[in-house]
């Protein structure tokens, strides 16, 4: 039940909104006097479900009874809308669990990491109602682990090092150390970190290095990504062999391909299409006949010139 004193303490601002600015002038914190005041609904219940999803949420309970919530957010670029979302997450979770929340932001980009560290002041410039100060893990403060034995001592930290330094020049050395360290752990653990690092390196140049390292010796990995890398390697090998067969037939028959046709053939990974091109290579007289309808577009039309066609006048 709401007491009368409770009502009086806030309703006075409804009766005279201007008292807010006048009061704080006395406190030495000046606010501009409003020219218009709107009364908004006081019921903050959401009628429609509002989705707010933190990337990872953990609760830590210590032996001494000390507890905290850890909110982990991955941030790839600056986002002006994020500070308000982070403030909502932390405030909501504190109200729900009555446990102090700690926000950790993980970044791969130095500029984003500096921005994410804040502090973010929420409220008017004269007085911040909330000040959000995330902890940040990024390239500047995550250790660079390039020694396999050091990586083996703490593989999760080595994986975090690889992910946060994905765009650094030294990323290859970190990945090589991690790849060596993964050979010292069980298959399940190794597979888990192969996949996590692969996902963490997405869109970075370091991903190709990681996939190459994993393709060298995948005998102890049975993760989906490891299987995918192995299958891709087999597919590329079969495609390369089929393209070589086409080239051998054409060479034996004295048919020369243009540079564009040759590149189209040697970069194709469609095994069915390569089979079609092989069959055509046995009877075709030009490269154009082989690749017709195979997704190849030329700027000019190729035709074979024979003595008969050279003497025959073109039809008008």
């Amino acid at each position: 039940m709401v007491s009368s004193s409770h009502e009086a303490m806030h309703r006075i601002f409804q009766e005279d909104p201007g008292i807010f600015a006048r009061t704080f002038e006395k406190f030495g914190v000046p606010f501009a006097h409003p020219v218009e005041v709107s009364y908004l609904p006081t019921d903050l219940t959401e009628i429609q479900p509002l989705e707010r999803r933190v990337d990872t949420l953990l609760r830590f309970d210590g032996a001494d009874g000390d507890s905290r919530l850890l909110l982990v957010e991955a941030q790839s670029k600056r986002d002006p809308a994020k500070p308000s979302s982070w403030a909502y997450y932390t405030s909501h979770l504190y109200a729900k669990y009555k446990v102090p929340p700690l926000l950790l932001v993980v970044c791969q980009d130095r500029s984003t990491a500096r921005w994410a560290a804040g502090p973010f002041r929420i409220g008017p410039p004269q007085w911040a109602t909330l000040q959000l100060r995330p902890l940040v893990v990024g390239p500047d403060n995550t250790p660079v682990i390039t020694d396999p034995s050091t990586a083996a001592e703490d593989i999760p930290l080595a994986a975090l090092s690889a992910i946060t330094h994905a765009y650094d020049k030294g990323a290859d050395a970190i990945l090589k150390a991690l790849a060596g360290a993964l050979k010292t752990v069980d298959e399940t653990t190794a597979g888990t970190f192969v996949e996590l690092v692969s996902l963490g390196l997405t869109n970075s140049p370091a991903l190709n290095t990681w996939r190459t390292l994993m393709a060298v010796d995948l005998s102890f990995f049975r993760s989906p990504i490891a299987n995918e890398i192995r299958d891709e390697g087999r597919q590329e090998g079969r495609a390369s062999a089929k393209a070589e067969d086409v080239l051998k037939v054409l060479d034996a028959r004295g048919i020369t391909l243009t540079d564009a046709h040759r590149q189209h053939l040697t970069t194709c990974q469609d095994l069915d299409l390569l089979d079609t091109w092989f069959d055509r290579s046995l009877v075709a007289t030009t490269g154009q006949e082989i690749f017709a309808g195979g997704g190849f577009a030329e700027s000019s039309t190729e035709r074979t010139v024979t003595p008969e066609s050279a003497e025959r006048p073109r039809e008008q």
Side-chain angles (χ1 to χ4, degrees):
M1 183 175 184
V2 179
S3 66
S4 57
S5 61
H6 174 275
E7 285 292 302
M9 284 190 290
H10 71 87
R11 286 196 58 178
I12 190 171
F13 290 93
Q14 295 181 21
E15 298 299 325
D16 182 6
I19 194 175
F20 170 77
R22 297 197 306 273
T23 299
F24 280 89
E25 282 178 346
K26 306 292 185 182
F27 297 161
V29 185
F31 288 90
H33 289 262
V35 295
E36 184 177 354
V37 176
S38 301
Y39 292 88
L40 302 178
T42 58
D43 186 354
L44 304 183
T45 304
E46 296 287 349
I47 299 175
Q48 297 294 332
L50 180 63
E51 183 174 359
R52 299 282 191 180
R53 193 180 299 277
V54 66
D55 290 338
T56 291
L57 177 62
L58 304 171
R59 175 171 175 152
F60 295 155
D61 293 310
D64 56 358
D66 182 30
S67 299
R68 70 179 63 88
L69 300 177
L70 180 65
L71 298 73
V72 185
E73 286 278 285
Q75 195 67 26
S76 60
K77 62 182 180 180
R78 297 189 182 205
D79 183 354
K82 270 297 181 179
S84 60
S85 295
W86 291 339
Y88 175 90
Y89 299 161
T90 54
S91 299
H92 171 76
L93 290 170
Y94 186 56
K96 181 176 181 179
Y97 292 103
K98 305 297 188 294
V99 174
L102 184 62
L103 174 63
L104 174 65
V105 182
V106 183
C107 306
Q108 292 176 311
D109 174 73
R110 285 179 169 79
S111 175
T112 303
R114 288 192 292 269
W115 164 81
F120 300 102
R121 296 168 57 88
I122 299 176
Q126 297 93 333
W127 194 271
T129 301
L130 292 175
Q131 181 165 277
L132 191 69
R133 296 177 61 234
L135 285 175
V136 175
V137 169
D140 286 335
N141 61 355
T142 304
V144 176
I145 301 176
T146 57
D147 178 60
S149 60
T150 304
E153 292 174 0
D154 194 336
I155 286 179
L157 181 59
L160 183 61
S161 176
I163 292 171
T164 54
H165 291 284
Y167 293 90
D168 288 1
K169 293 180 179 179
D172 287 3
I174 299 173
L175 293 174
K176 289 177 182 177
L178 178 59
L182 288 176
K183 295 180 181 181
T184 67
V185 298
D186 63 273
E187 180 181 310
T188 301
T189 301
T192 297
F193 284 100
V194 167
E195 295 188 46
L196 284 175
V197 172
S198 297
L199 293 172
L201 299 178
T202 300
N203 298 325
S204 74
L207 179 60
N208 289 331
T209 300
W210 182 242
R211 294 176 75 87
T212 300
L213 288 169
M214 293 298 96
V216 172
D217 182 8
L218 292 175
S219 60
F220 60 101
F221 288 135
R222 299 189 186 279
S223 68
I225 287 183
N227 291 332
E228 177 186 334
I229 295 171
R230 181 165 47 246
D231 292 342
E232 285 181 3
R234 291 171 179 166
Q235 171 88 0
E236 291 173 2
R238 290 196 295 268
S240 178
K242 286 179 179 290
E244 188 64 29
D245 289 341
V246 174
L247 290 174
K248 287 178 180 178
V249 170
L250 294 178
D251 184 59
R253 299 186 63 228
I255 298 176
T256 302
L257 295 181
T258 64
D259 290 342
H261 277 145
R262 181 176 290 271
Q263 180 180 13
H264 189 51
L265 170 64
T266 57
T267 57
C268 179
Q269 297 297 314
D270 187 329
L271 298 179
D272 291 336
L273 189 55
L274 285 164
D275 283 337
T276 298
W277 291 345
F278 178 79
D279 293 341
R280 291 178 182 177
S281 71
L282 299 173
V283 296
T285 58
T286 69
Q288 184 72 16
E289 293 177 21
I290 295 171
F291 299 104
F296 182 83
E298 281 190 312
S299 58
S300 61
T301 302
E302 177 188 324
R303 70 187 186 96
T304 300
V305 178
T306 64
E308 293 78 13
S309 64
E311 294 174 0
R312 188 185 309 118
R314 296 180 63 186
E315 296 181 1
Q316 300 297 322

